[in-house]
Amino acid sequence: MSRTLKVGVIGLGFFGARHARVHAVHPSAELVAVCDQDPAAVEQLSSLTGAQGFGDFRDLLAMPGLDAVSICLPDRLHEDAAIAAAEAGKAILLEKPLAHSAEAARRIVAAVERSDARLMVGHILRFDPRYVQAFHAAAPERLGTPIHLRARRHAVRSTARRLGDRSSILFYMGVHDVDAMQWIARSRVARVYAQKREVLGNGNEDALYAVVNFENGAIGCIDYSWAWPDGLMNGFRSSFEIVGTRAATYVDCADQGFYVVDDSATSGGDTHLWPEINGRIAGDLADEIGHFVEATLQGRPYLQHHREALDAIPVLDALAESAKSGRTVDVLR
Amino acid sequence: MSRTLKVGVIGLGFFGARHARVHAVHPSAELVAVCDQDPAAVEQLSSLTGAQGFGDFRDLLAMPGLDAVSICLPDRLHEDAAIAAAEAGKAILLEKPLAHSAEAARRIVAAVERSDARLMVGHILRFDPRYVQAFHAAAPERLGTPIHLRARRHAVRSTARRLGDRSSILFYMGVHDVDAMQWIARSRVARVYAQKREVLGNGNEDALYAVVNFENGAIGCIDYSWAWPDGLMNGFRSSFEIVGTRAATYVDCADQGFYVVDDSATSGGDTHLWPEINGRIAGDLADEIGHFVEATLQGRPYLQHHREALDAIPVLDALAESAKSGRTVDVLR
Amino acid sequence: MSRTLKVGVIGLGFFGARHARVHAVHPSAELVAVCDQDPAAVEQLSSLTGAQGFGDFRDLLAMPGLDAVSICLPDRLHEDAAIAAAEAGKAILLEKPLAHSAEAARRIVAAVERSDARLMVGHILRFDPRYVQAFHAAAPERLGTPIHLRARRHAVRSTARRLGDRSSILFYMGVHDVDAMQWIARSRVARVYAQKREVLGNGNEDALYAVVNFENGAIGCIDYSWAWPDGLMNGFRSSFEIVGTRAATYVDCADQGFYVVDDSATSGGDTHLWPEINGRIAGDLADEIGHFVEATLQGRPYLQHHREALDAIPVLDALAESAKSGRTVDVLR
Amino acid sequence: MSRTLKVGVIGLGFFGARHARVHAVHPSAELVAVCDQDPAAVEQLSSLTGAQGFGDFRDLLAMPGLDAVSICLPDRLHEDAAIAAAEAGKAILLEKPLAHSAEAARRIVAAVERSDARLMVGHILRFDPRYVQAFHAAAPERLGTPIHLRARRHAVRSTARRLGDRSSILFYMGVHDVDAMQWIARSRVARVYAQKREVLGNGNEDALYAVVNFENGAIGCIDYSWAWPDGLMNGFRSSFEIVGTRAATYVDCADQGFYVVDDSATSGGDTHLWPEINGRIAGDLADEIGHFVEATLQGRPYLQHHREALDAIPVLDALAESAKSGRTVDVLR
């Protein structure tokens, strides 16, 4: 493999555009191709970065010399593109969620494992200094045995409205926290009970609450909402906490440390996930993509094995089924 | 009834001592009697306030001219004392929870209703500026229809250890939030699912998570723990939030606005519940007791009718049953 | 003196209306008179409380049986009313600042001291659980010797615009913090250097920064502004900190624990100073007025002696002079 | 210049070790040399990174093929090393402060400007998402004219004790904020008044307060302390705020979003400056060094011109002089 990783980005929405911009300035990456069904999006990123534009990801995958792809499509389109990229033997950075169902996720993983391809799922919290430090603080020798843990992710309703029936609170937001809970608790969710609510008419659920049980005996609480009025400071909120027999650790992302006050309101801004600093995207997303580029070039394992990423998906399926049936559901592995 | 309310305090533990001190300096109250099975506690409060000391609440209730009592006994002793006070026709300020079970609570209420007695339950959040303002902000014309709501109450493990099997997380802490949820949502809990954990060996559960459904369709999340290591800043945490179709409101009691830093740690202190200011107890507890004294003297209704306080207890019973059985439980009213 | 304190309120603006409402429901006070030059304000409070209305404070002071007055007039009118009340022998609760200049303040104090009157200045921070606990935490045996301390009080520009040239940042807001600094540091300000800015055209200064020296060697920093855009969360901010050789303590009033989110913004509300709870005014102001009523009735000293309140005024004068001259100014005592 | 930047690090203390580790893993940098007078420090970094070890920076500078150096020496040693590196024509990343006095700083700049060398000063706040976003929010078209601004940097006393007389609060910590104030206000400090305190016996001042005037008329307040007891949560605090005629913006670095609770205390950790994430140093410092490496390789200007960095130093000198003399001091440019 060459000293520079030749990368293509498939899907140029919110995340795809950011992936493209990060690859374009990474010292070890060369953004050679971008792809979207919307010609305007292609044209914009293409002229910004000099990458060749495509309307069909199969054409992009056929580009000679291409080493890797970032796939940033809507959830339901992950399967086709990821399997095609796997069959083409590319290194794949797949934006979360791995897929829109446990079955689709397993098919993607199977395709990767029977090919020369490599797969990293974009679980950005694995690159967030707050969550990573919580992971270290929750090491058994520091935390003891986990007793209870809670994860929360809240956003404003305009997010839910924008996504409509193309995504769901579980797959768009919830996968972050299910992955984080299993990662930081060093244990997997075994059983779930969930209730959801759908009043705002956005084509998806407004909120979902769940109580879960982990294989190691810990109990968990999941708290998802994208029903907040749009005036919520900073537009989103996430938090995480785990209490063990010896110590506890928690993350609270409400405060971003930066505020603007005008005549009508106090507002803030993202200072961790993908802040734009001095003309480039910094923060967790840049670190995640940098890791993908460098680990791929150097043939090192990715920070998270794709099998561990896969572990989150059946929990989402179980949560969805419980919220629908009103009964506790065992997670099928 | 005389212009000054003659009051006795039954039970002189943490809360009883505070009730006694607040009554003793209230301009319209006269603390005439204190009672505890521990002679040392009686002696201490008696010499501090000049009130007559008793070892048996029945003797205290027989004191001529006594108008009212604060009952601050352990949960399981509420029933006997409250029924005796009701039969004696006293105005009763009963520390929460009303009782240790729905049956006991109903017997207390029945005794009050067949007598001349009056009953107010010490739901202190009804006097906390944060929760009261949230209640007003959640009025239907401001909030719209409630979509989801969450209540949380966390404390350090030394609290759980101190109380041991004399109380439980639901009755000692949880009743606050169940009452607050039903009050602020203007609706009652209809069904619950809970899981609890018991690892620390304190004689009670370490934590309990629940998902609940309200009669008006809203979903709720309950998050209780007293498993936190003792170094938790301020020693306890509570919060509340409710999101409606039009607006949302939340309370966060993590920050008390006051901090002390020494060589080993940053710590804080209570500035809302019962802070000691200039030699007397101020804050929510003083306002609650003041309301009891004045409303009793003036014959006005208490802020919360005892039937509304009663509504919280069957929810606690249902939560306990669900946590035990692992099944959803309908609240029996 | 009768068992109930007969009180009149002079000046029915923002604070006067609140004083009247608190006196009206205090168990030991009887609000018998209210006075303002605006007949509509008089009419409103008079019908709300049943108190007799006056247009001239001299008529109010002549009312038979009147024991005490709350004076809540604009700064520059304090002198005449307070001296007249002193000469009439009333107990006086005088809203801060004592007066609009050190000379006027000394004349008021002289009038009080040559009469039977008593005087308490409305330094509300002396009743705020956050500042009072900081005062206790700063006791020499806990804090050691004070090294440096800082006080800050910020508000939105509509406050400055509303007051215009009737008040100044130093007298309207700053007196709180000068009093708090001297109280908590157990020392008086000896020398000051200040700079101010006046750009917004509100008829008063937008902001003032000062560095001060205390008699005990500590250095201090004063940070006042009412130039913030009106969208500042909660509308105002105050904080205080003191670092000593052994420990440190601080107060931060940014977070009030209560929030409302609607489509356009996240806002909060006062939960400490004078929150309206269950139809009455609670918090620091109610506790301050209650102290005045009860200490007056019982003939006990007020929490703060009027001479200590007087100590703040020459510091304000020195700050104003320094801000004008650009030179350090020694405080004249 | 080669595609990879060959870098040496001079001075292997707290910052030097971090510079070395960041250079060592940067895709475009090659850490070829490390230097310290302490052989143990050289040995440690040398074996960690494979870089050649030196005891004298002159030997390091003579290494063939060396492109650039990070200079991370104590303040007073900056001048010699930086001038030697300039004369050797290297690209220089000089940890702040530029120098320990305005004269030394001017001599360094002169050496750079008469050579082929390039100079970037390690003003890390220029890479902090919180401060950078505040800079953008303070653009004249958003903020209007600056009215007042304040900067604050506080640390625990063990920091001051460790540095002793080798540094001062102004040069070690204060240069950050003086640079930030001038950068974000788009104006330079013209006049200062400062007071300092020295009680703790650490060989340097405990705290310094200053009021300053900017060339554009704004007033400023500077608030520095490293007198806090060591139990201060997170160990340090910085904040910044600027209020303009149209809007305001502020940064508050108290909350890092990550907490650990054990039996004795709640503590936190750095999540912005140089957090260690997944085995490497991330955050502001990594972004700063990355910028230096890439801009040097590509021949692009550094984010901050060295002349702008130079502008901070005479303000420090003026602050020191004012704190000593007790008089206002004009900044000499």
Side-chain angles (χ1 to χ4, degrees):
Chain A
M1 195 172 278
S2 66
R3 175 104 179 52
T4 300
L5 193 75
K6 289 187 168 28
V7 184
V9 175
I10 299 172
L12 300 173
F14 182 88
F15 281 105
R18 280 162 178 73
H19 277 243
R21 290 181 52 198
V22 173
H23 283 302
V25 301
H26 192 282
S28 303
E30 191 181 345
L31 181 71
V32 295
V34 292
C35 171
D36 199 281
Q37 58 179 26
D38 173 8
V42 172
E43 170 56 27
Q44 187 187 4
L45 268 299
S46 197
S47 32
L48 184 71
T49 64
Q52 190 174 341
F54 294 91
D56 186 321
F57 67 77
R58 287 169 211 281
D59 297 333
L60 179 147
L61 289 170
M63 195 177 175
L66 186 78
D67 299 312
V69 288
S70 275
I71 299 179
C72 305
L73 294 165
D75 308 357
R76 283 187 176 73
L77 305 180
H78 280 196
E79 184 177 359
D80 282 359
I83 289 177
E87 289 171 350
K90 306 304 177 193
I92 305 166
L93 175 53
L94 183 55
E95 257 302 337
K96 50 83 216 167
L98 212 171
H100 69 288
S101 73
E103 290 73 21
R106 282 190 204 102
R107 285 191 296 264
I108 291 172
V109 164
V112 167
E113 295 187 347
R114 71 173 172 258
S115 73
D116 290 337
R118 303 183 59 189
L119 174 64
M120 171 173 151
V121 177
H123 284 148
I124 193 170
L125 301 185
R126 303 260 177 161
F127 296 88
D128 188 295
R130 300 165 294 191
Y131 285 83
V132 175
Q133 293 189 65
F135 170 75
H136 292 304
E141 64 273 20
R142 296 177 65 185
L143 192 85
T145 304
I147 302 172
H148 63 93
L149 61 152
R150 187 175 67 84
R152 161 189 180 82
R153 192 159 300 270
H154 283 197
V156 290
R157 53 186 66 172
S158 57
T159 307
R161 199 176 307 123
R162 180 168 51 79
L163 292 166
D165 59 8
R166 277 174 303 138
S167 194
S168 67
I169 205 167
L170 283 172
F171 281 81
Y172 190 78
M173 304 207 312
V175 69
H176 284 301
D177 302 286
V178 169
D179 179 59
M181 289 177 101
Q182 299 191 136
W183 167 47
I184 298 178
R186 280 88 169 159
S187 183
R188 298 189 304 179
V189 173
R191 195 162 47 121
V192 310
Y193 173 82
Q195 289 284 298
K196 66 176 175 179
R197 193 76 194 292
E198 201 170 329
V199 175
L200 292 176
N202 290 324
N204 48 52
E205 60 288 281
D206 309 318
L208 181 145
Y209 287 142
V211 171
V212 305
N213 299 80
F214 286 80
E215 292 174 348
N216 66 1
I219 56 173
C221 181
I222 292 177
D223 171 4
Y224 294 147
S225 165
W226 49 16
W228 283 81
D230 288 336
L232 180 70
M233 169 89 75
N234 284 324
F236 97 108
R237 294 284 166 87
S238 68
S239 63
F240 181 90
E241 72 193 7
I242 180 166
V243 176
T245 49
R246 273 196 214 149
T249 182
Y250 64 97
V251 166
D252 187 335
C253 302
D255 181 9
Q256 298 288 321
F258 159 68
Y259 299 90
V260 175
V261 183
D262 64 18
D263 284 345
S264 62
T266 300
S267 57
D270 165 39
T271 67
H272 270 296
L273 297 177
W274 40 75
E276 192 152 336
I277 297 304
N278 304 317
R280 60 163 71 186
I281 291 165
D284 304 345
L285 185 67
D287 287 349
E288 172 198 312
I289 294 173
H291 171 76
F292 171 74
V293 169
E294 294 168 41
T296 303
L297 271 177
Q298 298 163 12
R300 285 189 287 119
Y302 298 130
L303 202 62
Q304 180 186 41
H305 192 274
H306 62 255
R307 287 250 158 203
E308 199 181 344
L310 181 60
D311 275 344
I313 308 297
V315 181
L316 302 183
D317 275 2
L319 287 166
E321 189 188 327
S322 173
K324 201 171 163 188
S325 71
R327 286 199 295 272
T328 59
V329 173
D330 291 330
V331 178
L332 298 177
R333 300 281 180 184
Chain B
M1 194 173 277
S2 67
R3 173 101 180 53
T4 299
L5 193 76
K6 290 187 169 27
V7 184
V9 175
I10 300 172
L12 299 173
F14 182 87
F15 280 106
R18 280 161 178 74
H19 276 243
R21 290 181 54 199
V22 173
H23 283 303
V25 301
H26 192 282
S28 305
E30 191 181 346
L31 181 71
V32 295
V34 292
C35 171
D36 198 280
Q37 59 180 25
D38 172 9
V42 172
E43 169 56 26
Q44 186 188 3
L45 267 299
S46 198
S47 33
L48 183 73
T49 64
Q52 190 175 340
F54 294 91
D56 185 322
F57 66 77
R58 288 169 212 281
D59 297 335
L60 179 147
L61 288 170
M63 194 177 176
L66 185 79
D67 299 311
V69 289
S70 275
I71 299 179
C72 305
L73 295 165
D75 308 356
R76 283 187 176 71
L77 305 180
H78 279 196
E79 186 177 357
D80 281 0
I83 289 177
E87 288 171 350
K90 306 303 177 195
I92 305 166
L93 175 54
L94 182 55
E95 256 303 336
K96 49 85 220 166
L98 212 170
H100 69 288
S101 73
E103 290 73 22
R106 282 190 205 101
R107 284 191 296 264
I108 292 172
V109 164
V112 167
E113 295 187 347
R114 71 176 171 256
S115 73
D116 289 338
R118 303 182 59 187
L119 173 64
M120 172 173 149
V121 177
H123 285 148
I124 193 171
L125 301 185
R126 304 259 177 163
F127 295 89
D128 188 294
R130 299 166 294 191
Y131 285 84
V132 175
Q133 292 188 64
F135 170 74
H136 291 304
E141 64 273 19
R142 295 177 65 185
L143 191 85
T145 303
I147 300 173
H148 63 93
L149 60 154
R150 188 175 66 84
R152 163 189 178 83
R153 192 160 298 270
H154 283 198
V156 291
R157 53 186 65 173
S158 58
T159 307
R161 197 177 308 122
R162 178 167 53 78
L163 291 166
D165 60 6
R166 278 175 303 136
S167 194
S168 67
I169 205 168
L170 283 173
F171 281 81
Y172 190 78
M173 303 207 312
V175 68
H176 285 302
D177 302 285
V178 169
D179 179 59
M181 289 177 102
Q182 298 191 136
W183 167 46
I184 299 178
R186 279 86 170 161
S187 183
R188 297 188 305 178
V189 174
R191 194 161 48 120
V192 310
Y193 173 83
Q195 288 285 297
K196 67 175 175 181
R197 195 76 196 292
E198 199 169 331
V199 175
L200 292 175
N202 290 323
N204 47 53
E205 61 290 281
D206 308 319
L208 182 145
Y209 287 142
V211 171
V212 305
N213 298 81
F214 285 81
E215 292 173 349
N216 67 2
I219 57 175
C221 181
I222 292 177
D223 172 4
Y224 294 146
S225 166
W226 49 15
W228 284 80
D230 288 336
L232 180 69
M233 169 90 75
N234 283 324
F236 98 107
R237 294 284 167 87
S238 68
S239 63
F240 181 90
E241 74 193 5
I242 181 167
V243 176
T245 48
R246 271 196 216 150
T249 182
Y250 64 97
V251 166
D252 188 335
C253 302
D255 181 9
Q256 298 287 320
F258 159 70
Y259 299 90
V260 175
V261 183
D262 63 19
D263 283 346
S264 61
T266 301
S267 56
D270 165 38
T271 66
H272 269 295
L273 297 176
W274 41 74
E276 191 151 337
I277 297 304
N278 304 318
R280 60 164 69 185
I281 291 165
D284 304 345
L285 185 67
D287 287 349
E288 172 198 312
I289 294 173
H291 171 76
F292 171 73
V293 169
E294 294 168 41
T296 304
L297 271 177
Q298 298 163 14
R300 284 188 288 120
Y302 297 131
L303 201 60
Q304 181 187 40
H305 192 273
H306 63 255
R307 287 251 158 201
E308 200 182 343
L310 180 61
D311 276 343
I313 308 299
V315 181
L316 302 183
D317 275 4
L319 287 166
E321 189 189 327
S322 173
K324 199 171 166 189
S325 71
R327 285 200 295 272
T328 58
V329 173
D330 291 329
V331 179
L332 298 178
R333 301 281 180 184
Chain C
M1 196 173 279
S2 65
R3 174 106 180 50
T4 300
L5 193 75
K6 288 187 169 28
V7 184
V9 175
I10 299 172
L12 300 173
F14 182 88
F15 280 105
R18 280 161 179 74
H19 277 243
R21 290 182 53 200
V22 173
H23 283 303
V25 300
H26 192 281
S28 304
E30 190 181 347
L31 181 72
V32 296
V34 291
C35 171
D36 198 281
Q37 60 180 26
D38 172 10
V42 172
E43 169 56 25
Q44 186 187 4
L45 268 299
S46 197
S47 31
L48 183 71
T49 63
Q52 189 174 342
F54 293 90
D56 185 323
F57 66 78
R58 288 169 212 281
D59 297 334
L60 179 147
L61 289 171
M63 195 178 175
L66 185 79
D67 298 310
V69 288
S70 275
I71 299 179
C72 306
L73 294 165
D75 308 356
R76 284 188 176 72
L77 307 180
H78 280 197
E79 185 177 358
D80 281 359
I83 290 177
E87 290 172 350
K90 306 305 178 192
I92 305 166
L93 174 54
L94 182 56
E95 257 303 336
K96 51 83 215 165
L98 212 170
H100 69 288
S101 73
E103 290 73 21
R106 283 191 203 101
R107 285 191 295 264
I108 291 172
V109 164
V112 166
E113 296 188 347
R114 71 176 171 253
S115 73
D116 290 338
R118 303 183 58 189
L119 173 65
M120 171 173 151
V121 177
H123 284 149
I124 193 170
L125 302 185
R126 304 260 177 161
F127 295 89
D128 188 294
R130 299 166 294 190
Y131 284 83
V132 175
Q133 293 188 64
F135 170 76
H136 292 303
E141 64 273 20
R142 296 178 65 186
L143 191 86
T145 303
I147 302 172
H148 63 94
L149 61 152
R150 188 175 67 83
R152 161 189 179 83
R153 191 159 300 269
H154 282 198
V156 290
R157 54 186 66 173
S158 58
T159 307
R161 198 176 308 122
R162 179 168 52 79
L163 290 167
D165 59 7
R166 277 175 304 139
S167 194
S168 67
I169 205 167
L170 283 172
F171 281 82
Y172 189 79
M173 305 207 311
V175 70
H176 284 301
D177 302 285
V178 169
D179 179 59
M181 289 177 103
Q182 299 192 135
W183 167 46
I184 298 178
R186 279 86 170 160
S187 183
R188 297 188 305 177
V189 174
R191 195 162 47 122
V192 310
Y193 172 83
Q195 288 285 297
K196 67 176 176 180
R197 194 76 195 291
E198 201 170 329
V199 175
L200 293 175
N202 290 324
N204 47 54
E205 60 288 282
D206 308 318
L208 181 146
Y209 287 142
V211 171
V212 305
N213 298 81
F214 285 80
E215 292 173 349
N216 66 0
I219 56 173
C221 181
I222 292 178
D223 171 5
Y224 294 146
S225 165
W226 49 16
W228 283 80
D230 288 336
L232 180 70
M233 169 90 76
N234 283 325
F236 97 109
R237 295 285 166 87
S238 68
S239 62
F240 181 91
E241 73 193 5
I242 181 165
V243 176
T245 49
R246 274 197 212 148
T249 182
Y250 64 97
V251 166
D252 188 335
C253 302
D255 181 8
Q256 298 287 320
F258 159 69
Y259 299 90
V260 175
V261 183
D262 64 19
D263 283 345
S264 61
T266 301
S267 57
D270 165 39
T271 67
H272 269 296
L273 298 177
W274 41 75
E276 191 152 337
I277 297 304
N278 304 318
R280 61 164 70 186
I281 291 165
D284 305 344
L285 185 67
D287 288 349
E288 172 198 311
I289 294 173
H291 172 76
F292 172 73
V293 168
E294 293 168 42
T296 304
L297 271 177
Q298 298 163 13
R300 286 188 288 120
Y302 298 131
L303 201 62
Q304 180 186 42
H305 191 274
H306 62 256
R307 287 249 159 204
E308 199 182 344
L310 180 61
D311 275 343
I313 308 298
V315 181
L316 302 183
D317 275 4
L319 287 166
E321 189 188 327
S322 173
K324 199 173 166 188
S325 71
R327 286 198 296 272
T328 58
V329 173
D330 291 329
V331 178
L332 299 177
R333 302 280 180 184
Chain D
M1 196 173 278
S2 66
R3 173 106 180 50
T4 300
L5 194 75
K6 289 188 168 29
V7 184
V9 175
I10 300 172
L12 299 173
F14 182 89
F15 281 105
R18 280 161 177 75
H19 277 243
R21 290 181 53 200
V22 173
H23 282 303
V25 300
H26 192 282
S28 304
E30 190 182 346
L31 182 71
V32 296
V34 292
C35 171
D36 198 281
Q37 59 179 29
D38 172 11
V42 172
E43 170 56 26
Q44 186 187 4
L45 268 299
S46 197
S47 32
L48 183 72
T49 64
Q52 189 174 341
F54 294 89
D56 185 321
F57 67 78
R58 287 169 213 281
D59 297 334
L60 180 146
L61 288 171
M63 193 177 178
L66 186 79
D67 299 311
V69 289
S70 275
I71 300 179
C72 306
L73 295 165
D75 308 355
R76 282 187 177 71
L77 306 179
H78 280 197
E79 185 177 358
D80 281 0
I83 289 176
E87 289 171 350
K90 307 303 178 194
I92 305 165
L93 175 53
L94 183 55
E95 257 302 337
K96 50 84 220 166
L98 212 171
H100 69 288
S101 73
E103 290 73 23
R106 282 190 204 102
R107 285 191 295 265
I108 291 172
V109 164
V112 167
E113 294 188 347
R114 69 176 172 255
S115 73
D116 289 338
R118 304 182 59 187
L119 173 64
M120 173 173 148
V121 177
H123 284 149
I124 194 171
L125 302 185
R126 303 260 177 162
F127 296 89
D128 188 294
R130 299 166 294 191
Y131 285 84
V132 176
Q133 292 188 64
F135 170 74
H136 291 305
E141 64 274 20
R142 295 178 65 186
L143 192 85
T145 303
I147 302 172
H148 63 93
L149 60 154
R150 187 175 67 85
R152 163 189 177 85
R153 192 159 299 270
H154 283 197
V156 291
R157 54 186 67 172
S158 58
T159 306
R161 199 177 307 123
R162 178 168 53 80
L163 291 166
D165 60 7
R166 278 175 303 137
S167 195
S168 67
I169 205 168
L170 282 173
F171 281 81
Y172 189 78
M173 304 207 312
V175 69
H176 284 302
D177 302 284
V178 169
D179 179 59
M181 289 178 101
Q182 298 191 137
W183 167 46
I184 298 178
R186 280 85 169 161
S187 182
R188 297 189 304 178
V189 173
R191 195 161 48 121
V192 310
Y193 173 84
Q195 288 285 296
K196 67 176 176 180
R197 194 77 194 291
E198 200 169 330
V199 175
L200 293 175
N202 290 323
N204 48 52
E205 61 288 282
D206 308 319
L208 181 146
Y209 287 143
V211 171
V212 305
N213 299 81
F214 286 80
E215 291 174 349
N216 67 1
I219 56 174
C221 182
I222 292 177
D223 170 6
Y224 295 147
S225 166
W226 49 16
W228 283 80
D230 287 336
L232 180 70
M233 169 90 74
N234 284 323
F236 98 108
R237 295 284 166 87
S238 69
S239 63
F240 181 89
E241 73 193 5
I242 181 166
V243 176
T245 49
R246 273 197 214 149
T249 182
Y250 64 97
V251 166
D252 188 336
C253 302
D255 180 9
Q256 297 288 320
F258 159 70
Y259 299 90
V260 175
V261 183
D262 64 19
D263 283 347
S264 61
T266 300
S267 57
D270 165 38
T271 66
H272 269 295
L273 298 177
W274 40 75
E276 192 152 336
I277 297 304
N278 304 318
R280 61 163 70 185
I281 291 164
D284 304 344
L285 184 67
D287 287 348
E288 172 198 311
I289 294 174
H291 171 77
F292 171 73
V293 169
E294 293 168 41
T296 304
L297 271 178
Q298 298 162 15
R300 284 188 288 119
Y302 298 131
L303 202 61
Q304 180 187 41
H305 192 273
H306 62 255
R307 287 251 158 202
E308 200 182 342
L310 181 61
D311 276 342
I313 308 298
V315 181
L316 302 182
D317 275 2
L319 287 166
E321 190 189 327
S322 173
K324 200 171 165 189
S325 71
R327 285 199 295 273
T328 58
V329 173
D330 291 329
V331 179
L332 297 177
R333 302 281 180 184

